[in-house]
């Protein structure tokens, strides 16, 4: 590898051709790379959703959920099984081990569910087995039209908008919010049913069996075959009024006599409001691997075309995550340029040679541009993580070129020609340059293999950073010496030592003479650094002001949709006077798609979500957290409402699961724990799934009376269901239109159902004709669980607490000290899940990555230096980073978080770079120039101090735009930059003195061991 520089100097054209090809490939890769906010991560998780409209959670748990759990728990690679049961819906999430193939897991789960399909109740809808895709809604649009009503606008979204957007590359899903479903309503008259002696179920059954279009075989007519088809469907709802209904006594009656028939809409189950006005809206999700910016642009173009084709129709963008992605992308690119310019300014200040500066400058684009080709080949995207990796290494990429150029300039000042200086300087420093780049790559690559969910995200970080570093090594060894040989000019005489250099060398001489004292002071400094760690709060990811808050309002179970809408409007009225509030988009009865079903739950009429748009952070004085606190204060007096914020940002909620088999014991412990959680100061909303009970009207059949009248329990349930809610969708008669089918729903009108005496008057089929429901059953009020949560096939209670800006690690420590958590009742267990689980997994993974990185560095240095102890000297610089890194975080009030850990990881590689430069030259001076150990170390410090300081300042300058937040919101990156800059200061200042002292100790230890081994190995007898 060292001779590559000499080859490139002799034959410059092949070297230039190599980088021309690499840059063309890189530019093509950059053009093809999708832009996203976060990496596209496919978690091996499969969700089984089974619906049975109207079924109680406790019934579904027994008849559906437990059977599904028992079946899927035996699949290979299952990590955990969790379930949530609400009214009419059972949802079971199967999380597989991370190495499991998602396609195979999906097929295995489908096969497992199909095996128990016959054991499930016959009334359940077909089980839906889907994989989990993390991402959430990209954009939400509201539609307005002065030519269409709500039902027509809803169908316009369902048909025209959906059809147009599915033609856009990258669009995965279009979901309507608000609006209504068209339905033919047959609202029965209870008095007419009683007078004619017929039940609602009988009317529904006759209609469903008669209003059909069925194939009826085929016949041969003449010389050909013809198909037989039975058609008994009406063309419009008006024709149903004359439909004949057979009565039990043999007579017939017109359907119009028994009911009011209208071509109308179904009872609304969801509402969307934009600044208080009802709207029909739709949200768009993208496919994995597509560019968020490209999809948003194509969607806008498709909607503009649709708007021109439908005059009077307007589309308004109400929410979007694309702006955040675009700001993150542009700010990251700006930081790259700013960091690069500052790093090059450092080169100019030290060398004062514009030729040397531009030769160093080309190392940046020639390292970064080919990296894009590798990123595209690996299937990455331009997202926060990969752009962070490039921002991290922007100061490092010029280091190798700086070291090469500085050494060449030093040789030029000895009076050599540019060709000789380039060849000899490149040869002299070759091992050091290779070692520094390989150690950095050895630090970053273990990050790509981190375990857990965090490892899925940081795979892209590790490979991107390592690739850029390796390309910078290629530039430094292949291109930099070659260009320097032909572009640099001869310098006059060698620079004389200045007063600063003389003082530094005097300090080195003193440190060498008092080496044990020097190492003792360094050790004390490291121990003191570790004492700072408990003073720094820890969290997952720093808070980011995205300019949008997702507020959730949850009312008591049983609340009607219109009551929730009214309260939502009441909440908006209390908030509209906040000056920073730009817009409020509210949905009632549906959920916000933030990409994580565990955070949003299932849509219910009692739940509302308000998207509060605050605008960009730079346009207001108060940050998002302050505004959210004001919202909570203003809504504190809303009656019977549970407030919470739904965040798609990790690290903002604490989730705790209490699991056990005894429901009563579980309930008692849950109440106690919820009370204890309220004692922790600073937390926001604390919610528990234990206290949610829904009101019920329970029909308790009397076996004796039912038997006497010939009434079956199943007939009682069916009669009540059809009269109040209508039959199951798959059983309903349909009105066939050219473009779609309209369901025909038979039942009582919503106004009629508000009469409490109606239930008892319902007619159920008996042996001798219909009888009142009250004659065969007792009707009593009751209650049951609104939500049943299950974890690993056990009942559980899930607690969610908003951190409200508090560090996650600090809150977790306080939770662990609560009496119920510290000493749980027998048979109950506590489980950290959600962000808390990932938090522990993340910190553990980074510790493992750091240890693996240090081990890789040692092995790389061992191979390059062929010496067992010299790598230990180089690694001595690593502990010297800690004081500066932890001190910088503490002084700037930054938490020890994910980006700070990335900074600490970087410092391991950066600190070794400085040590390698010193140790490498000391070895050369001893072995090749015959100097003594002391003189070799002093000479190494004389020759290599300037490149060490230059590269350190260049790296610090590269980090400065991130630390100062010069471009966009840098709250995520700032802790990393602060940790790196602080660690650079202490590691550079101390390693320039400590490393020479450590070298003497390690070198003497090596000499003693060699002498000891020679003495122990006796020569063979003659």
């Amino acid at each position: 590898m060292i001779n590559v520089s000499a080859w490139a100097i002799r034959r410059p054209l092949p070297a230039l051709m190599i980088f021309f090809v690499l840059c063309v490939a890189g530019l093509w890769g950059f053009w093809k790379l999708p832009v996203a906010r976060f990496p596209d991560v496919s978690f091996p998780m499969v969700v089984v959703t089974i619906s049975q409209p109207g079924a109680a959670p406790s019934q579904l748990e027994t008849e559906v959920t437990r059977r599904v759990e028992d079946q899927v728990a035996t699949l290979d690679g299952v990590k955990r099984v969790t379930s949530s049961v609400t009214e009419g819906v059972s949802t079971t999430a199967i999380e597989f081990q991370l190495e499991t193939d998602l396609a195979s897991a999906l097929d295995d789960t489908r096969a497992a569910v199909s095996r128990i399909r016959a054991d499930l109740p016959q009334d359940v809808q077909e089980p839906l087995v889907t994989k989990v895709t993390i991402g959430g809604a990209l954009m939400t649009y509201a539609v307005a039209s002065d030519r269409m009503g709500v039902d027509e606008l809803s169908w316009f979204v369902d048909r025209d908008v959906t059809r147009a957007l599915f033609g856009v590359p990258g669009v995965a899903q279009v979901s309507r919010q608000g609006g209504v479903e068209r339905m033919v309503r047959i609202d029965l008259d209870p008095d007419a049913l009683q007078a004619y002696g017929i039940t609602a179920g009988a009317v529904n059954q006759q209609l469903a069996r008669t209003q059909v279009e069925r194939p009826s075989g085929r016949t041969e007519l003449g010389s050909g075959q013809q198909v037989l088809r039975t058609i008994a469907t009406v063309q419009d709802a008006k024709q149903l009024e004359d439909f004949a209904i057979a009565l039990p006594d043999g007579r017939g009656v017109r359907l119009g006599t028994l009911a009011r028939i209208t071509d109308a809409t179904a009872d609304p189950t969801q509402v969307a409001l934009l600044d208080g006005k009802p709207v029909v809206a739709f949200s768009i999700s993208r496919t994995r691997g597509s560019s968020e910016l490209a999809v948003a642009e194509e969607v806008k173009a498709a909607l503009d075309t649709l708007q021109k084709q439908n005059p009077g129709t307007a589309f308004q963008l109400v929410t979007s995550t694309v702006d955040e992605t675009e700001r993150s992308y542009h700010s990251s690119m700006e930081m790259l340029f700013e960091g690069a310019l500052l790093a090059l300014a450092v080169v100019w200040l030290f060398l004062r040679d514009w030729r040397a500066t531009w030769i160093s400058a080309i190392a940046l684009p020639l390292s970064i541009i080919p990296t894009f080709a590798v990123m595209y080949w690996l299937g990455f995207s331009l997202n926060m993580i990969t752009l962070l990796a490039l921002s991290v290494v922007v100061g490092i990429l010029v280091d190798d070129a700086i070291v090469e150029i500085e050494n060449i300039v030093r040789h030029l000042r000895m009076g050599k020609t540019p060709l000789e200086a380039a060849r000899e300087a490149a040869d002299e420093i070759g091992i050091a340059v290779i070692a520094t780049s390989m150690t950095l790559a050895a630090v970053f690559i273990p990050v790509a293999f981190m375990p857990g969910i965090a490892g899925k995200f940081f795979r892209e970080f590790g490979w991107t950073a390592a690739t850029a570093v390796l390309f910078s090594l290629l530039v430094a060894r292949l291109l930099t010496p070659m260009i320097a040989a032909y572009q640099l000019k001869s310098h006059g005489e060698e620079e004389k030592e200045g007063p600063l250099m003389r003082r530094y060398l005097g300090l080195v001489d003193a440190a060498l003479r008092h080496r044990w004292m020097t190492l003792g002071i360094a050790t004390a400094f490291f121990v003191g650094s570790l004492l700072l760690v408990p003073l720094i709060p820890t969290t997952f990811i720093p808070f980011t002001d995205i300019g949008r808050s997702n507020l959730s309002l949850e009312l008591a179970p049983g609340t009607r949709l219109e009551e929730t809408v009214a309260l939502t409007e009441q909440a908006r009225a209390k908030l509209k006077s906040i000056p920073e509030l730009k817009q409020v988009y509210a949905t009632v009865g549906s959920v916000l798609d933030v990409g994580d079903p565990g955070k949003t739950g299932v849509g219910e009429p009692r739940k509302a979500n308000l998207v509060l748009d605050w605008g960009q952070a730079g346009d207001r004085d108060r940050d998002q957290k302050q505004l959210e606190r004001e919202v909570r204060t203003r809504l504190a007096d809303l009656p019977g409402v549970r407030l919470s914020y739904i965040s798609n940002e990790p690290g903002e909620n604490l989730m705790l699961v209490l699991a056990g088999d005894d429901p009563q014991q579980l309930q008692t412990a849950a109440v106690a724990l919820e009370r204890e959680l309220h004692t922790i100061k600073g937390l926001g909303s604390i919610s528990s799934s234990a206290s949610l009970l829904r009101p019920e009207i329970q029909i308790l059949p009397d076996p004796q009376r039912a038997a006497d009248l010939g009434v079956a329990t199943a007939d009682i349930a069916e009669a009540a269901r059809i009269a109040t809610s209508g039959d199951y969708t798959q059983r309903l008669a349909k009105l066939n239109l050219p473009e779609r089918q309209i369901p025909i729903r038979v039942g009582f009108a919503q106004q009629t159902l508000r009469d409490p005496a109606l239930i008892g008057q319902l007619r159920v089929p008996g042996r001798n004709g219909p009888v009142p429901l009250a004659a065969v059953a007792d009707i009593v009020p009751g209650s049951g669980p609104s939500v049943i949560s299950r974890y690993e096939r056990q009942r559980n209670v899930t607690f969610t607490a908003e951190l409200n800006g508090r560090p996650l690690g600090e809150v977790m420590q306080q939770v662990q000290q609560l009496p119920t958590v510290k000493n749980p009742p027998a048979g109950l267990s506590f489980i950290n899940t959600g962000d808390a689980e990932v938090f522990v997994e993340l910190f553990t993974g980074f510790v493992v990555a750091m240890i693996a990185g240090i081990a890789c560095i040692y092995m790389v240095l061992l191979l390059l230096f062929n010496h067992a102890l010299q790598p230990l000297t180089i690694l001595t610089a690593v502990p010297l980073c800690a004081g500066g890194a932890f001190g910088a975080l503490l002084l700037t009030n930054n938490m020890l978080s994910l980006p700070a850990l990335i900074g600490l990881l970087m410092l391991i590689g950066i600190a070794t770079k400085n040590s390698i430069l010193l140790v490498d030259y000391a070895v050369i001076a001893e072995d090749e120039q015959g100097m003594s150990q002391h003189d070799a170390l002093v000479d190494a410090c004389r020759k290599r101090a300037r490149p060490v300081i230059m590269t350190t300042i260049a790296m610090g300058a590269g980090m400065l735009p991130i630390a100062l937040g010069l471009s966009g919101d840098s709250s995520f990156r700032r802790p990393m930059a602060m940790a790196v800059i602080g660690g650079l200061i202490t590691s550079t200042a101390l390693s320039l003195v400590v490393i020479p002292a450590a070298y003497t100790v390690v070198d003497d230890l090596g000499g003693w061991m060699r002498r000891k081994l020679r003495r122990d190995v006796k020569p063979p007898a003659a």
Side-chain angles (χ1 to χ4, degrees):
M1 185 71 176
I2 299 172
N3 294 329
V4 167
S5 300
W7 173 81
I9 291 171
R10 288 194 308 271
R11 306 186 66 183
L13 288 180
L16 291 173
M17 182 58 67
I18 289 172
F19 276 94
F20 173 77
V21 172
L22 287 174
C23 287
V24 169
L27 291 172
W28 179 81
F30 180 78
W31 180 64
K32 297 288 287 183
L33 276 171
V35 179
R37 190 169 182 220
F38 292 109
D40 284 322
V41 176
S42 179
F43 293 109
M45 179 181 287
V46 177
V47 177
V48 179
T49 305
I50 301 180
S51 300
Q52 186 179 7
S58 54
Q59 174 193 348
L60 277 175
E61 180 191 30
T62 303
E63 298 181 354
V64 175
T65 309
R66 287 178 179 171
R67 291 177 179 174
V68 172
E69 288 177 342
D70 292 341
Q71 189 68 23
V72 300
T74 60
L75 298 177
D76 291 337
V78 172
K79 181 179 178 182
R80 64 166 67 91
V81 178
T82 57
S83 296
S84 176
V85 192
T86 57
E87 181 181 342
V89 181
S90 165
T91 305
T92 301
I94 306 101
E95 183 180 350
F96 292 84
Q97 300 293 340
L98 284 175
E99 61 273 10
T100 305
D101 179 64
L102 185 55
S104 299
L106 189 64
D107 292 338
D108 292 345
T109 306
R110 282 180 178 148
V113 173
S114 65
R115 286 195 292 271
I116 60 166
R117 180 63 183 89
D119 300 328
L120 300 178
Q122 295 302 309
D123 296 335
V124 300
Q125 296 178 5
E126 196 60 31
L128 187 63
V129 182
T130 57
K131 61 183 179 182
V132 172
T133 54
I134 303 296
L138 194 64
M139 298 172 291
T140 301
Y141 280 89
V143 193
S145 175
D146 53 8
R147 299 186 178 184
M148 290 185 278
V150 177
D151 56 339
E152 294 173 306
L153 206 53
S154 301
W155 177 241
F156 173 71
V157 170
D158 292 342
R159 183 187 60 178
D160 297 347
V161 173
T162 301
R163 185 184 299 167
L165 293 184
F166 275 134
V168 173
V171 172
Q173 184 177 356
V174 180
S175 303
R176 175 165 57 84
Q177 297 168 351
V180 292
E181 300 286 348
R182 185 177 170 186
M183 175 181 285
V184 175
R185 301 182 64 103
I186 299 179
D187 295 330
L188 298 169
D189 182 352
D191 295 331
L193 292 183
Q194 185 174 358
Y196 285 102
I198 191 171
T199 66
V203 175
N204 177 76
Q205 188 176 21
Q206 289 187 45
L207 196 62
R209 287 184 58 81
T210 307
Q211 286 297 309
V212 293
E213 182 176 337
R214 297 279 175 84
S216 304
R218 66 183 60 197
T219 183
E220 294 188 8
L221 196 63
S223 60
Q225 285 188 343
Q226 294 192 12
V227 175
L228 297 177
R229 191 156 58 102
T230 301
I231 303 174
T233 56
V234 294
Q235 301 303 313
D236 58 54
K238 193 71 176 174
Q239 296 178 19
L240 287 173
E241 293 185 356
D242 296 326
F243 183 78
I245 297 294
L247 299 176
D249 59 6
R251 293 178 299 157
V253 63
R254 291 174 62 252
L255 181 58
T257 307
L258 301 175
R260 185 168 64 91
I261 303 169
T262 54
D263 188 345
T265 60
D267 294 331
T269 57
Q270 58 171 333
V271 174
L273 304 165
L274 181 59
D275 287 331
K277 298 178 181 177
V279 295
V280 179
F282 58 92
S283 60
I284 302 158
S285 301
R286 68 180 180 92
T287 58
R288 292 183 66 246
S290 59
S291 172
E292 292 182 13
L293 301 187
V295 170
E297 189 176 343
E298 292 287 335
V299 164
K300 186 177 184 303
L303 293 180
D304 288 342
T305 303
L306 202 60
Q307 188 169 332
K308 291 175 183 176
Q309 295 171 351
N310 297 271
T313 304
F315 298 94
Q316 180 180 352
L317 182 66
V318 292
T319 67
S320 173
T321 62
V322 178
D323 294 340
E324 302 156 32
T325 303
E326 193 168 10
R327 285 197 298 268
S328 174
Y329 170 72
H330 288 303
S331 66
S332 297
M333 299 303 288
E334 288 170 13
M335 286 179 188
L336 278 174
F337 289 114
E338 291 165 356
L341 290 174
L342 286 171
L344 294 174
V346 171
V347 179
W348 167 255
L349 287 174
F350 274 88
L351 297 180
R352 299 300 176 94
D353 186 328
W354 70 267
R355 292 175 182 268
T357 302
W358 83 259
I359 294 172
S360 300
I362 62 171
L364 266 171
L366 294 182
S367 301
I368 290 179
I369 291 174
T371 304
F372 294 133
V374 177
M375 290 170 60
Y376 178 73
W377 177 61
L378 293 173
F380 296 170
S381 62
L382 290 170
N383 55 67
M384 182 181 286
I385 301 298
T386 52
L387 291 173
L388 175 67
L390 295 176
S391 302
V392 159
V393 298
V394 68
I396 297 173
L397 297 181
V398 293
D399 280 5
D400 292 337
I402 288 174
V403 171
E404 293 267 11
I405 286 293
E406 193 277 338
N407 206 39
I408 293 170
V409 169
R410 187 172 61 82
H411 279 259
L412 283 171
R413 284 171 178 159
M414 295 177 186
K416 299 176 183 178
T417 65
L419 210 62
E420 291 173 339
R423 187 183 297 114
E424 293 176 16
D427 186 60
E428 178 186 86
I429 208 163
I431 284 287
V433 170
I434 295 170
T436 54
S437 295
M438 295 302 291
T439 52
L440 272 168
V443 167
F444 287 124
I445 289 176
V447 178
F449 296 96
M450 277 176 56
I453 294 173
K456 284 276 189 178
F457 282 93
F458 281 92
R459 171 176 169 266
E460 297 192 10
F461 175 88
W463 285 119
T464 301
T467 301
V469 167
L470 292 176
F471 274 123
S472 76
L473 171 62
L474 189 62
V475 173
R477 298 304 297 143
L478 199 62
L479 217 57
T480 304
M482 181 268 290
I483 298 177
Y486 293 100
Q487 291 295 315
L488 290 183
K489 301 298 182 182
S490 298
H491 287 62
E493 56 185 26
E494 192 170 359
E495 284 186 333
K496 296 180 180 179
E497 290 180 1
L500 192 61
M501 177 62 75
R502 287 195 294 272
R503 289 195 190 95
Y504 164 63
L505 294 177
L507 182 62
V508 171
D509 182 68
L512 291 173
R513 285 186 284 105
H514 303 89
R515 59 183 184 177
W516 290 109
M517 182 184 294
T518 303
L519 294 178
I521 293 172
T523 304
F525 176 79
F526 175 62
V527 172
S529 305
L530 296 180
L531 296 177
L532 295 177
V533 177
L535 304 177
I536 306 172
T538 56
T539 191
F540 189 1
I541 287 181
F543 164 71
T544 302
D545 190 333
I546 61 174
R548 186 181 66 253
S549 300
N550 299 327
L551 179 65
S552 172
L553 306 181
E554 189 174 352
L555 281 70
T559 304
R560 295 198 304 269
L561 183 72
E562 51 267 33
E563 294 176 7
T564 309
V565 171
L567 194 132
T568 302
E569 273 302 283
Q570 188 179 343
R572 189 189 65 84
K574 289 176 176 288
L575 301 178
K576 68 179 181 180
S577 60
I578 298 177
E580 294 86 349
L581 187 59
K582 308 292 184 186
Q583 176 183 279
V584 179
Y585 172 67
T587 59
V588 181
S590 61
V591 297
L592 291 175
D593 184 7
V594 298
D596 187 351
K599 291 184 177 180
T600 55
V602 179
E604 298 180 59
R606 65 187 184 89
K607 293 181 180 179
N609 298 295
L610 281 72
V611 180
L612 310 176
D613 186 357
W614 307 115
Q616 294 190 22
D619 299 336
R620 46 188 159 85
D621 297 328
R622 293 187 291 179
D623 65 25
Q624 186 176 327
K625 283 296 178 189
Q626 292 173 311
L627 293 169
E628 288 178 354
R629 281 194 288 270
E630 179 170 347
V631 168
R632 194 181 293 281
T633 302
R634 291 194 177 206
L635 301 183
D637 58 348
L638 276 181
V641 178
R642 177 184 287 173
L643 299 176
S644 62
Y645 287 101
I646 301 173
S647 173
N648 55 356
E649 303 288 326
E652 295 194 11
N653 290 310
L654 172 74
M655 191 174 288
L656 187 64
V657 171
L658 173 62
D661 289 318
D662 187 343
Q664 185 59 44
Q665 190 182 40
L666 194 62
Q667 178 71 22
T668 304
V671 172
L673 180 58
E674 187 172 2
R675 188 168 53 247
E676 292 167 5
L677 284 171
H678 281 284
T679 64
I680 299 178
K681 294 182 179 179
L683 294 184
S685 172
I686 298 172
S687 60
S688 159
S689 60
S691 56
L692 298 177
L693 294 176
R694 63 170 198 161
E696 296 178 342
I697 296 176
Q698 297 177 351
I699 300 173
L700 307 177
D702 185 304
Q704 186 61 48
R705 285 183 286 165
D708 291 343
L709 296 173
V711 176
T713 303
D715 292 335
I716 295 176
E718 184 170 315
R721 187 190 71 248
I722 292 174
T724 57
S725 301
D727 207 348
Y728 296 122
T729 304
Q730 62 268 30
R731 296 184 185 177
L732 292 178
K734 305 294 191 299
L735 178 65
N736 291 336
L737 299 181
E739 73 278 7
R740 57 172 166 165
Q741 282 190 323
I742 306 298
I744 302 173
R745 182 258 190 195
V746 177
F748 291 151
Q750 199 169 23
Q751 294 79 3
T752 307
L753 290 172
R754 292 180 179 175
D755 182 4
L758 175 67
I759 303 297
Q761 296 173 4
L762 290 176
R763 290 302 190 261
V764 296
R767 185 185 304 112
N768 300 317
V771 298
L773 179 59
V776 292
D778 297 323
I779 303 169
V780 297
S783 64
S786 176
V787 179
I788 295 176
S789 300
R790 293 174 60 81
Y791 187 93
E792 294 290 19
R793 295 189 283 176
Q794 288 183 317
R795 280 267 187 115
N796 74 67
V797 176
T798 302
F799 298 88
T800 304
E802 294 174 5
L803 296 178
N804 214 14
R806 288 199 58 191
L808 178 60
E810 183 181 301
V811 174
M812 285 173 61
Q813 289 179 354
Q814 292 183 344
V815 169
Q816 295 299 326
Q817 299 304 315
L818 296 177
T820 307
V821 178
K822 206 170 184 181
N823 300 299
L828 299 183
S829 59
F830 286 93
I831 305 153
N832 281 324
T833 188
D835 292 344
E837 181 185 22
V838 177
F839 175 78
V840 174
E841 193 176 67
L842 174 72
F843 274 79
T844 305
F846 260 99
V847 170
V848 172
M850 286 180 181
I851 295 172
I854 292 172
C856 289
I857 289 173
Y858 178 82
M859 289 186 284
V860 167
L861 295 176
L862 185 67
L863 291 172
L864 291 173
F865 286 101
N866 194 28
H867 197 289
L869 295 180
Q870 278 178 3
L872 297 179
T873 306
I874 293 168
L875 290 171
T876 306
V878 173
L880 303 178
C881 306
F886 295 142
L889 290 174
L890 194 60
L891 290 175
T892 56
N893 293 320
N894 282 293
M895 299 183 190
L896 187 60
S897 56
L898 171 61
L901 288 176
I902 294 172
L904 293 175
L905 193 68
M906 275 186 61
L907 284 171
I908 295 175
I910 293 170
T912 58
K913 287 175 70 79
N914 298 337
S915 304
I916 288 168
L917 290 174
L918 293 174
V919 171
D920 173 68
Y921 194 86
V923 172
I924 292 174
E926 273 194 278
D927 295 347
E928 298 180 10
Q929 301 175 20
M931 291 186 181
S932 65
Q933 183 191 75
H934 183 279
D935 292 343
L937 287 168
V938 172
D939 195 47
C941 292
R942 179 184 293 108
K943 301 288 176 56
R944 294 292 171 83
R946 187 166 73 163
V948 165
I949 294 172
M950 282 178 66
T951 54
T952 298
I953 296 177
M955 281 186 279
M959 287 287 166
L960 202 58
I962 303 175
L964 298 178
L966 299 179
S967 299
D969 182 17
S970 62
S971 55
F972 179 81
R973 309 177 187 93
R974 187 179 294 115
M976 175 201 68
M978 289 298 181
V980 170
I981 292 173
L984 277 173
I985 293 171
T986 56
S987 68
T988 303
L990 294 175
S991 62
L992 285 171
V993 177
V994 174
I995 293 302
Y999 179 90
T1000 62
V1001 173
V1002 174
D1003 194 46
D1004 291 350
L1005 177 62
W1008 175 82
M1009 291 176 65
R1010 285 192 296 271
R1011 290 192 300 271
K1012 181 74 172 170
L1013 288 172
R1014 289 197 197 99
R1015 195 180 306 120
D1016 291 343
V1017 179
K1018 296 179 181 179

